[in-house]
Amino acid sequence: MSGLLIVIAGPSGAGKGTIYNSLLERLPNTIASISATTRKPRGVEQDGVHYFFKTVSEFESMIERDELLEYADVFGNYYGTPKKFVMDSIQSGKNVILEIDVVGAAQIKRKFPSCIMMFIMPPSFEVLEKRLRGRATDSEESIVRRLSEAKRELSTYEMFDYIVFNDDLQQAISQAEAIICAERNKISRNESKIKQLLNE
Ligand code: ADP
Ligand code: 5GP
């Protein structure tokens, strides 16, 4: 049985990264995809761990060689998901979580209609601003830009299957986990196993 492809999107500062890390710890057989980006490393970020840091020409070569499952320009930098790792992992039965922007999410949905599309949203835009400022990783200019993008991202909600309101963090994590577990047990995802049992 092939693994699940789980897409987590939502405005910057919504808590995607926090929820994503927690899901990776809690869910068995579930792994992260490391994105390629032309953004410069921040703080303790390491190449090959947090991202594959690329120059613009290196990234454009990856596009030309069709090595990316999806890619987008996010806040003036390229970000993309390396294709081979995700395809090999899913085929070997592992679940893969992508934490990507809404433009990339739309590309994944088109290519993999059975992926699980989850949107993470804070309880309000006011809370979103507080979290972005509290995180203290972005410049004022970057915060203003991320906030002005947030509503546009929420307006793409119709392509998602689920929304998780990240007010209380533990509750949001439990909800995201419950969604993935329920998806795993869908009849449509288990038909080959059921047929095998019926033939025993
Ligand atoms: P994103 O990955 O969506 O940009 P982060 O996971 O980096 O967002 O979260 C943004 C900030 O908000 C971080 O400082 C994080 O610790 C904090 N945060 C996340 N979820 C909650 C929550 N439910 N309540 C309070 N703070 C939160
Ligand atoms: P950051 O610069 O804060 O690490 O990430 C900025 C945004 O880029 C986040 O909202 C994240 O979801 C998005 N992002 C990270 N990796 C990818 C990717 O591989 N593809 C796309 N389309 N977006 C990504």
Side-chain angles (χ1 to χ4, degrees):
M1 195 161 75
S2 61
L4 302 173
L5 184 56
I6 302 150
V7 175
I8 295 188
S12 182
K16 299 183 299 295
T18 309
I19 292 172
Y20 166 85
N21 286 330
S22 179
L23 288 174
L24 288 171
E25 277 172 23
R26 292 159 75 126
L27 294 169
N29 201 32
T30 303
I31 55 175
S33 154
I34 301 171
S35 299
T37 183
T38 57
R39 163 167 86 57
K40 296 276 171 286
R42 276 195 303 240
V44 295
E45 285 180 341
Q46 280 179 294
D47 187 42
V49 178
H50 299 91
Y51 283 104
F52 294 110
F53 294 101
K54 303 283 179 195
T55 62
V56 171
S57 80
E58 283 170 343
F59 196 100
E60 288 175 345
S61 298
M62 291 178 82
I63 298 173
E64 274 162 30
R65 293 195 299 262
D66 195 26
E67 289 174 7
L68 298 171
L69 212 48
E70 61 73 33
Y71 69 93
D73 178 323
V74 188
F75 312 124
N77 287 300
Y78 278 130
Y79 291 79
T81 304
K83 188 192 275 183
K84 189 174 183 321
F85 175 81
V86 173
M87 300 309 291
D88 290 352
S89 303
I90 290 175
Q91 269 154 27
S92 74
K94 291 201 172 76
N95 307 319
V96 180
I97 314 187
L98 307 180
E99 196 255 270
I100 59 178
D101 88 312
V102 293
V103 175
Q107 295 170 43
I108 296 289
K109 173 92 174 172
R110 261 197 310 277
K111 287 185 184 163
F112 300 91
S114 66
C115 72
I116 304 168
M117 299 272 288
M118 206 185 298
F119 194 87
I120 310 290
M121 182 61 203
S124 67
F125 286 103
E126 199 186 329
V127 170
L128 178 64
E129 180 167 359
K130 276 200 190 114
R131 288 193 190 154
L132 273 176
R133 294 192 185 284
R135 187 168 67 175
T137 51
D138 302 282
S139 65
E140 180 61 27
E141 186 202 346
S142 164
I143 289 176
V144 170
R145 194 166 179 188
R146 283 166 193 245
L147 284 171
S148 74
E149 281 293 297
K151 210 161 244 177
R152 188 189 62 77
E153 291 171 88
L154 179 60
S155 72
T156 68
Y157 69 93
E158 282 175 335
M159 73 171 155
F160 288 86
D161 304 307
Y162 298 97
I163 185 159
V164 172
F165 289 103
N166 179 18
D167 188 355
D168 176 84
L169 180 61
Q170 290 315 315
Q171 262 184 33
I173 292 167
S174 300
Q175 285 177 18
E177 195 177 359
I179 288 165
I180 295 167
C181 290
E183 283 279 342
R184 189 98 204 95
N185 291 351
K186 271 195 164 167
I187 290 287
S188 57
R189 296 192 195 274
N190 289 275
E191 270 181 283
S192 57
K193 176 132 193 236
I194 295 169
K195 283 180 182 153
Q196 199 185 324
L197 287 169
L198 284 172
N199 283 330
E200 269 179 15

